[in-house]
Amino acid sequence: MIATLPLMLGLAASAATLTGGFATLGLRGRLSLILGLSAGIVIGVAALELFPEALELSRSLHRRWLAWVAVVAGLCGYIALSRLLAALPRWGPRLRGHVAPAGLTLHSFVDGCGIGLAFQLSPEVGWGVAIAILSHDVADGVNIVGLSLASHDRIVARYWLLLNGLAPIAGVVAGQMFRIPPLLLAALLAALAGAFFAIGGLELLPRSFRSTSRILALSSALVGFALIFLITQRGGSTPSGWLTFFA
């Protein structure tokens, strides 16, 4: 049975994501700066949130090697898939532009799972996880739009934004119904971190460099990274950190 409070918090996470995304869609003519900001946010999420949590979780499971192997696999896997799709003659390049938004949507789904799983443990843990998620969901909305606009028009960006907005709700429902094995969660978080490093460093930042001056592109990326740094410092533990209680 799905509890009402976690579902309401999932709706709040969805609303925060949509708010950030639609605000970004309104910034016409600022695509280069949005791409730079998104690059910094993606790299910040990978470096300051996903990978540290994967390391902590893998250590608690006495599998210290797991996070390192998974982050390399995620990085190399994303690059290989991106190159493969780019080499396909007809549908490959179009599909390639959907890989990065799909990764961010999966991240939002995992966030929702964190809320659902944490409330199975206790309301106190559930609220801690929810606050950590809600603190960065506006940035998630900015990010999904920036990634989508890098390869698609505003119509496609809106579709991905809506899917990303629905992902936390679906995650809450899944988290209330099932439990993700901690070993799988650690590998998934690290693999997502590796993919995000590739997305930010090899796709978004170079595209921002090509669209505007390197100083402006790098400055916007640093602002995005600093935003995630402030969020992780003030937002407390992230969902995966709380999920070590399930180990």
Side-chain angles (χ1 to χ4, degrees):
M1 183 177 179
I2 308 301
T4 302
L5 180 56
L7 189 58
M8 294 299 293
L9 289 170
L11 288 169
S14 174
T17 300
L18 294 174
T19 298
F22 280 116
T24 305
L25 283 170
L27 298 175
R28 299 180 182 274
R30 303 290 183 180
L31 178 58
S32 58
L33 297 181
I34 292 172
L35 292 178
L37 182 69
S38 295
I41 290 174
V42 168
I43 294 172
V45 168
L48 303 175
E49 181 180 341
L50 294 177
F51 189 57
E53 294 299 333
L55 279 174
E56 180 183 344
L57 191 52
S58 61
R59 287 194 191 103
S60 71
L61 298 170
H62 306 291
R63 299 286 191 277
R64 294 175 179 269
W65 50 268
L66 177 64
W68 292 100
V69 171
V71 72
V72 172
L75 175 65
C76 295
Y78 181 87
I79 293 172
L81 179 60
S82 181
R83 297 295 183 269
L84 175 63
L85 291 175
L88 294 178
R90 185 174 180 182
W91 294 103
R94 295 180 66 181
L95 289 174
R96 179 187 178 188
H98 293 288
V99 175
L104 279 181
T105 302
L106 178 60
H107 171 232
S108 295
F109 177 79
V110 172
D111 278 351
C113 286
I115 295 176
L117 288 168
F119 270 96
Q120 289 188 38
L121 185 61
S122 75
E124 291 77 13
V125 173
W127 274 107
V129 170
I131 290 170
I133 290 171
L134 287 169
S135 67
H136 71 251
D137 270 345
V138 173
D140 283 352
V142 175
N143 224 8
I144 193 72
V145 169
L147 282 172
S148 301
L149 291 177
S151 303
H152 304 287
D153 58 23
R154 291 178 179 273
I155 295 176
V156 176
R158 286 190 182 94
Y159 284 134
W160 271 116
L161 176 59
L162 291 175
L163 283 174
N164 197 268
L166 291 173
I169 302 172
V172 168
V173 173
Q176 287 277 284
M177 297 176 64
F178 309 103
R179 288 191 176 185
I180 302 174
L183 194 67
L184 175 61
L185 181 63
L188 176 61
L189 291 171
L192 277 174
F196 281 15
F197 281 130
I199 292 168
L202 302 178
E203 290 199 14
L204 289 175
L205 201 55
R207 290 182 184 182
S208 182
F209 283 163
R210 290 195 295 268
S211 302
T212 187
S213 71
R214 289 179 177 266
I215 294 177
L216 282 176
L218 188 58
S219 297
S220 60
L222 290 174
V223 168
F225 189 90
L227 174 64
I228 297 302
F229 176 79
L230 292 174
I231 288 171
T232 54
Q233 292 301 304
R234 297 186 63 183
S237 298
T238 50
S240 51
W242 287 108
L243 292 177
T244 56
F245 286 103
F246 292 100

